[in-house]
Amino acid sequence: MSNAAPVLPQPPVTAPATDDSLGIDRAFVLQMARMPLLALLWLGAAIAAHQIWAALWPEGLNAGPLVVISFGMILAAFIDGWALKVPNWITFPLVLSGWALGALHDFNVHVDAGTGGFALAVLGTVFGFVLLLPMLAIGGVGAGDVKMQMGFGAWAGAYFGTGATTADAGGAALHGMGVVFWAFCFGAIAGGAFGLVIILIRRQFGQNAGIVREIMSDLQMFGTGQVSAASKRAHDRRSRWTKLPYGIPLCVGFLLYLAYMLILVG
């Protein structure tokens, strides 16, 4: 008579884990929850920079907040050059803090020398987005670059307003939207020079000339309303071109324009 086969112990049956996330990306929610706190830090930095500037140079334009937004642009450009992306923890707080500065000006809370209100800060944000929208649609810039420009637009609208800030300091009246536009133009020139240097280094003249013609064709298609077709062409071309950190030209253009208007023109 043979012995019965041993019975192996069965592992306990556990109920499957239930997913209680309701489809919500908790990491993204937590990231967004931190944005107002980071915006308060930028706002506090603007207020502190205004006080420090007033103590050191009490006469003339108090450009303390411009130092803060310049630092923000330089930080974003550095990260873009290093990682080829501009993170949300820089761009979104810059937008929110620019809006907060404008709102404080509306309530006559004199935290800095800015005169633009909340509406102009929002308008500067939208204007910064519109200026880069065609290039975003054809893949010429990344979403982080656009949000970087939107953050600068928010601060420019809140600080410069309709031009009273610089006019009261004895300089040329700089409207916030004019600052956003001309800084963008300076950035476009810097971007062209940056791209030309890359072309000369890589020495792929024929290939790059062809890509430039395709980009101009895409922009023409975008201008005539063929947005989806232009975007598809850009997506198909993406594997053939070298991605450039456009945040660097945006930052350089912004700094050059401010230096030109506030220092050279006075």
Side-chain angles (χ1 to χ4, degrees):
M1 180 176 182
S2 61
N3 295 329
V7 178
L8 298 177
Q10 298 295 324
V13 178
T14 57
T18 58
D19 183 6
D20 60 350
S21 65
L22 300 178
I24 300 174
D25 188 342
R26 293 184 177 181
F28 177 77
V29 172
L30 291 175
Q31 183 187 44
M32 291 298 103
R34 289 195 293 265
M35 299 305 168
L37 299 177
L38 295 174
L40 288 177
L41 293 178
W42 285 108
L43 180 62
I47 297 172
H50 173 81
Q51 297 298 327
I52 294 173
W53 189 286
L56 297 177
W57 301 285
E59 301 296 329
L61 179 69
N62 188 316
L66 296 182
V67 175
V68 175
I69 186 59
S70 296
F71 172 77
M73 294 287 281
I74 292 172
L75 178 62
F78 177 81
I79 296 177
D80 194 21
W82 180 267
L84 294 178
K85 64 181 298 184
V86 183
N88 289 332
W89 60 264
I90 294 179
T91 55
F92 282 150
L94 284 179
V95 172
L96 294 176
S97 55
W99 292 356
L101 277 176
L104 289 175
H105 298 159
D106 284 336
F107 287 100
N108 293 319
V109 180
H110 302 291
V111 295
D112 67 338
T115 57
F118 177 77
L120 276 173
V122 174
L123 182 60
T125 306
V126 175
F127 191 39
F129 170 76
V130 170
L131 288 174
L132 281 178
L133 178 59
M135 290 298 293
L136 176 64
I138 66 170
V141 297
D145 301 322
V146 177
K147 288 179 284 188
M148 175 182 173
Q149 177 80 354
M150 292 167 66
F152 161 60
W155 277 64
Y159 182 81
F160 291 100
T162 59
T165 300
T166 47
D168 291 344
L174 300 180
H175 194 287
M177 300 308 103
V179 172
V180 176
F181 175 75
W182 288 110
F184 165 78
C185 293
F186 274 58
I189 295 173
F194 185 51
L196 181 60
V197 171
I198 297 298
I199 290 174
L200 292 176
I201 292 175
R202 293 176 63 87
R203 297 181 179 275
Q204 298 176 349
F205 302 109
Q207 178 182 352
N208 286 290
I211 290 177
V212 169
R213 287 193 296 270
E214 292 180 23
I215 290 175
M216 298 304 296
S217 176
D218 290 348
L219 290 174
Q220 183 180 9
M221 294 175 64
F222 181 88
T224 56
Q226 304 177 60
V227 179
S228 59
S231 299
K232 184 179 184 304
R233 281 167 49 95
H235 182 272
D236 295 339
R237 186 179 58 246
R238 190 166 300 170
S239 60
R240 295 186 287 112
W241 69 357
T242 302
K243 184 177 180 181
L244 300 178
Y246 200 75
I248 295 177
L250 285 177
C251 175
V252 171
F254 162 68
L255 296 178
L256 287 178
Y257 178 72
L258 285 186
Y260 172 71
M261 292 303 301
L262 299 181
I263 299 177
L264 298 181
V265 176

